[in-house]
Amino acid sequence: MIKKCLFPAAGYGTRFLPATKTTPKEMLPIINKPLIQYGVEEAMEAGIFNMAIVTGRGKRSLEDYFDINYELEHQLKGTSKENLLKDIRNVLETCSFSYTRQMEMKGLGHAILVGESLVGNEPFAVILSDDLCDNEGGQGVLSQMCKIYAKYRCSIVAVEEVALEEVSKYGVIAGRKIDEDVFVVDNMIEKPSQEEAPSNLAIIGRYILTPDIFEILHRTKPGKNGEIQITDALLEQCKKGMVLGYKFKGVRYDCGSVDGFVKATNIFYDKLKR
Ligand code: G1P
């Protein structure tokens, strides 16, 4: 039902400078796999095979990564190392990739709007690949959200409870529970102070959006930090119709921060050794 997944990937990744001076943050690996590949595999697990990536200057390695490297394939063919390319080959054989560039960094809402030409007039998923989700053997977060979409047919944001001291890092929702772990959103605020926060349910980097979001984004004025915020556009959508918050099953690592990145690395390494 959801056929496309949009990956906003134009950000500078300043928290990982100087590494991100020439390497996109989406290409930083947890063990041996770039962050964005975890996101792509989560979309595949949800039955989505068209990946639309919003890139920016200095991000060409993303396009090269999702392509065949003939020289490498040739070198490894028939050797014991051939197996190391198995996962990425599977991605390339099953998925299509399209790209567009965000020329100016005007916020997540703007990045999503730039993706309009790739997405068209259909509902779509959004993955922010620095939020790495581990389903711990269960269904992936996007897969869980697609199920909810099939029932309610409206925009959905994935949420998790965070400590009050953390709310100012996120979009935060207030909602009324209508189903197990499902809330009808009645308010959402981008990066509120503790006093302003309507709850401690923070939005994480997984969205399903209905295409009317584009028309709203075209009109959305810069909000928090002077950026066009997807949270503001979603608030308008929820006033006109319905937006859901879904408390997903699984664990999220904020790999956009050094702490979260190291934590994910350690946990994924332990799993490998188990
Ligand atoms: C963005 C969104 C925010 C959301 C967060 C999840 O913020 O604007 O609402 O909670 O992603 O990772 P950013 O982390 O890009 O500042």
Side-chain angles (χ1 to χ4, degrees), residues 12-24:
Y12 296 124
T14 44
R15 280 181 282 184
F16 285 92
L17 281 170
T20 44
K21 192 173 162 223
T22 53
T23 303

Side-chain angles (χ1 to χ4, degrees), residues 108 128 131 170-171 190-191 203-205 207 229 231:
L108 178 58
L128 307 183
D131 273 338
Y170 300 95
E190 181 66 14
K191 303 196 171 76
I203 302 170
I204 66 121
Y207 303 78
Q229 300 292 352
T231 307

Side-chain angles (χ1 to χ4, degrees), residues 4 8 22-24 124 144 149 165 209 218 241 251 269:
K4 289 182 186 155
T22 53
T23 303
F124 61 104
Q144 297 169 40
Y149 179 79
E165 303 78 67
L209 300 174
H218 276 289
V251 182
Y269 184 61

Side-chain angles (χ1 to χ4, degrees), residues 93-165:
E93 277 161 15
T94 8
C95 301
S96 77
F97 291 84
S98 54
Y99 302 87
T100 189
R101 276 203 191 203
Q102 186 185 12
M103 283 183 271
E104 292 172 286
M105 302 300 122
K106 294 199 222 161
L108 178 58
H110 179 253
I112 292 173
L113 183 56
V114 167
E116 180 179 16
S117 57
L118 302 178
V119 167
N121 190 25
E122 53 184 278
F124 61 104
V126 176
I127 288 186
L128 307 183
S129 47
D130 47 13
D131 273 338
L132 175 57
C133 291
D134 184 4
N135 49 352
E136 301 187 307
Q139 264 191 341
V141 175
L142 208 52
S143 204
Q144 297 169 40
M145 291 172 78
C146 284
K147 281 225 172 105
I148 312 270
Y149 179 79
K151 184 163 173 195
Y152 294 98
R153 309 284 177 121
C154 65
S155 290
I156 306 168
V157 295
V159 295
E160 77 175 9
E161 287 186 44
V162 299
L164 264 182
E165 303 78 67

Side-chain angles (χ1 to χ4, degrees), residues 164 167 189 192-199:
L164 264 182
V167 287
I189 307 179
S193 65
Q194 280 187 46
E195 295 71 37
E196 289 170 318
S199 77

